[in-house]
């Protein structure tokens, strides 16, 4: 970047490879008569493999910063994670890989396994008016007259694939509802201080897709990954699209995204405004990344070499660049993430085997020829959102 110096970076990271969540495991046991492979970590915890990959990523990222001549001491680095094992552990491994030997504390607000409000994508307004606005927005988002029936129609082949893999017709869930997987009843509840509660094939399919993906990333034997019944990249994309659509619907759709992302945007705004730290690393969840995209109107092309829309271990980089000749500051954003193959093979991320870098676009703002945005324009955009 000609004549520009990297002056400040805020990284928002999704946690690394984890085990299935406790609620997911409860769903999984009803959806198939088959025996699920066992995990060797507690539900929802970062795995050792996930930690190793984060450590590799940290080392790569430190080299990336050195390449852009951002010199750091321990006091220049601030690390803040949601108060869950998988997010705190991700921050620890990433920091160890990138800044081994530096005394950099990992900040988190609560005891482990208590959600921090900043990272918690919950409903904070359960008024009748807000609920109606959310439902209307989801209808527009999916082009549906009821709620999400058009989205379910698009996902029908993926639902059918899941049903075949699960042997769903012989499951306890089928005995309860006596209907096809794709016809499970759908409903949405918006409860104060809880995440949006969606029931139906999209929600259940997301839990199952998550479990299969985590098996794939965790190096399970081929016959244990979806019982050996996913054979092609096309099938993996179909499975991943169920979860992608769920994340987009509940956390990236405009009304919900702007509602949920506010505490996180306020934190990022403070970090840039105070300039106390040259590097801030925040560790949360895919729901946070999706809500940041939706709230700030961030777009990007389809992610190369990945099936997930918000890849596990992926990182949003928000960068401030300084032009010492004009004394002007500029903003850039990119998505840096491991490929599906790097996760599946536990490939060390390095300069010779780098993660993917995808440039992000801010809608309604015009970049310059280098793809950068005027800092003041971005500040104004965030101020408008927070007003």
């Amino acid at each position: 970047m000609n004549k520009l110096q990297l002056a400040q970076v805020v990284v928002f990271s999704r946690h690394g490879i984890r085990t299935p969540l406790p609620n997911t495991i409860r769903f999984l046991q009803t959806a198939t008569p088959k025996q699920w492979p066992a995990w060797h970590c507690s539900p929802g915890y970062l795995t050792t493999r996930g930690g190793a990959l984060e450590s590799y990523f940290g080392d790569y990222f430190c080299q990336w910063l050195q390449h852009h001549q951002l010199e750091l001491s321990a006091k220049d680095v601030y690390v803040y994670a949601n108060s869950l094992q998988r997010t705190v552990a991700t921050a620890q491994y990433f920091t160890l890989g990138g800044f081994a030997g530096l005394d950099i504390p990992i900040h988190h607000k609560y005891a482990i396994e208590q959600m921090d409000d900043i990272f918690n994508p919950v409903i904070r307004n359960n008024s009748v008016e807000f609920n109606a606005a959310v439902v209307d927005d989801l209808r527009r988002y999916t082009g549906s007259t009821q709620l999400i029936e058009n989205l379910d129609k698009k996902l029908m082949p993926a639902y059918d694939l899941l049903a075949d893999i699960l042997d769903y017709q012989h499951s306890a869930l089928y005995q309860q509802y006596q209907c096809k997987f794709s016809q499970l009843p759908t409903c949405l509840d918006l409860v104060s201080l809880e995440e949006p509660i969606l029931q139906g094939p999209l929600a259940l399919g997301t839990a199952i897709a998550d479990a299969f993906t985590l098996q794939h990333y965790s190096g399970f034997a081929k016959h244990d990954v979806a019982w050996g019944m996913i054979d092609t990249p096309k099938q993996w994309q179909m499975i991943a699209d169920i979860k992608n659509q769920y994340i987009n619907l509940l956390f990236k759709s405009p009304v919900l995204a702007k509602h949920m992302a506010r505490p996180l945007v306020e934190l990022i705004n403070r970090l840039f405004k105070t300039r106390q730290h040259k590097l801030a690393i925040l560790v949360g969840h895919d729901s946070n990344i999706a809500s940041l995209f939706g709230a700030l109107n961030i777009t990007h092309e389809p992610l190369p070499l990945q099936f997930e829309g918000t890849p596990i271990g992926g990182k949003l980089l928000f960068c401030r660049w300084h032009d010492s000749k004009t004394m002007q500051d500029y903003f850039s954003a990119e998505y840096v993430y491991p490929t599906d193959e790097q996760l599946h093979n536990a490939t060390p991320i390095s300069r010779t085997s780098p993660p993917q870098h995808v440039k992000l676009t801010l809608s309604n703002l015009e970049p310059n020829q280098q793809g950068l945005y005027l800092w003041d324009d971005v500040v104004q955009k965030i101020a408008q959102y927070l007003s």
Side-chain angles (χ1 to χ4, degrees):
M1 297 199 175
N2 225 9
K3 300 184 296 185
L4 297 179
Q5 172 63 47
L6 182 61
Q8 189 181 12
V9 182
V10 173
V11 179
F12 187 91
S13 175
R14 184 185 174 192
H15 57 76
I17 299 171
R18 58 161 171 78
T19 54
L21 302 175
N23 286 345
T24 297
I25 292 173
R26 178 170 55 86
F27 280 127
L28 299 183
Q29 292 168 344
T30 68
T32 179
K34 300 179 181 181
Q35 183 70 36
W36 288 91
W39 291 83
H40 301 295
C41 292
S42 298
Y45 273 40
L46 187 79
T47 65
T48 303
R49 183 188 183 100
L53 284 166
E54 285 299 319
S55 184
Y56 294 141
F57 211 137
D59 179 55
Y60 166 84
F61 182 68
C62 182
Q63 293 180 56
W64 183 86
L65 292 172
Q66 290 170 353
H67 174 75
H68 289 292
Q69 300 179 337
L70 185 64
E71 297 182 2
L72 299 170
S73 63
K75 66 180 178 59
D76 295 319
V77 182
Y78 174 70
V79 183
Y80 185 67
N82 190 18
S83 302
L84 302 182
Q85 186 273 354
R86 60 185 175 276
T87 43
V88 173
T90 294
Q92 290 170 331
Y93 276 104
F94 184 83
T95 305
L96 176 65
F99 308 101
L102 294 185
D103 187 15
I104 298 174
I106 309 298
H107 298 277
H108 55 97
K109 188 173 182 180
Y110 301 116
I112 297 298
E113 296 309 291
Q114 182 176 346
M115 287 289 289
D116 184 329
D117 290 343
I118 288 175
F119 299 93
N120 201 2
V122 298
I123 300 299
R124 297 177 175 88
N125 177 355
N126 66 340
S127 68
V128 173
E129 294 78 11
F130 178 74
N131 287 5
V134 169
V135 171
D136 287 344
D137 190 52
L138 295 185
R139 287 171 178 159
R140 285 192 297 271
Y141 193 74
T142 64
S144 301
T145 56
Q146 298 172 20
L147 186 63
I148 62 168
E149 67 272 11
N150 282 352
L151 179 55
D152 280 336
K153 286 178 184 176
K154 291 178 184 177
L155 290 171
M156 190 83 71
Y159 292 154
D160 289 343
L161 174 61
L162 275 189
D164 287 343
I165 295 171
L166 295 167
D167 190 15
Y168 162 75
Q169 283 196 310
H170 295 97
S171 70
L173 197 65
Y174 179 81
Q175 296 305 313
Q176 180 181 354
Y177 287 102
Q178 296 288 312
C179 68
K180 290 181 63 177
F181 186 96
S182 59
Q183 295 171 346
L184 288 166
T186 293
C187 66
L188 173 70
D189 288 322
L190 301 176
V191 179
S192 182
L193 301 182
E194 292 189 22
E195 290 188 22
I197 302 167
L198 183 70
Q199 295 180 340
L202 182 60
L204 180 58
T206 293
I208 296 162
D210 184 61
F212 290 163
T213 302
L214 292 170
Q215 292 171 350
H216 174 64
Y217 289 163
S218 297
F220 278 35
K222 182 174 174 55
H223 61 81
D224 281 334
V225 178
W227 301 284
M229 295 183 67
I230 303 178
D231 296 317
T232 67
K234 180 180 179 180
Q235 288 177 319
W236 273 117
Q237 190 63 69
M238 290 171 67
I239 296 296
D241 280 343
I242 297 173
K243 185 179 179 183
N244 292 342
Q245 294 291 357
Y246 176 89
I247 294 292
N248 289 346
L249 182 76
L250 294 188
F251 305 109
K252 195 175 180 181
S253 55
V255 171
L256 283 172
K258 289 177 181 178
H259 178 73
M260 293 176 179
R262 188 181 183 90
L264 191 53
V265 175
E266 288 175 341
L267 172 60
I268 293 170
N269 191 45
R270 285 197 302 273
L271 290 167
F272 274 127
K273 205 169 184 177
T274 62
R275 303 192 70 163
Q276 184 178 354
H277 306 284
K278 293 181 182 179
L279 173 64
I281 300 167
L282 312 175
V283 185
H285 309 274
D286 50 1
S287 57
N288 301 135
I289 290 177
S291 66
L292 284 172
F293 280 147
L296 299 177
N297 295 312
I298 298 172
T299 61
H300 58 80
E301 297 298 320
L303 301 181
L305 305 178
Q306 251 297 347
F307 302 118
E308 289 191 279
T310 49
I312 207 159
K315 287 146 183 62
L316 295 181
L317 270 55
F318 298 139
C319 303
R320 183 202 294 260
W321 303 85
H322 181 68
D323 187 331
S324 58
K325 290 190 176 181
T326 64
M327 301 304 291
Q328 181 67 260
D329 282 358
Y330 294 90
F331 174 90
S332 72
E334 59 183 308
Y335 206 178
V336 185
Y337 60 89
T339 67
D340 174 79
E341 185 175 344
Q342 285 171 326
L343 291 164
H344 176 61
N345 294 328
T347 305
I349 294 170
S350 66
R351 294 286 293 276
T352 56
S353 180
Q356 294 292 297
H357 286 251
V358 171
K359 189 170 290 187
L360 302 176
T361 301
L362 300 182
S363 301
N364 304 321
L365 292 182
E366 192 66 35
N368 64 14
Q369 291 182 340
Q370 293 175 292
L372 304 175
Y373 299 89
L374 282 173
W375 185 261
D376 290 345
D377 289 347
V378 176
V379 168
Q380 184 178 6
K381 181 185 180 78
I382 292 175
Q384 289 172 347
Y385 163 66
L386 293 175
S387 63

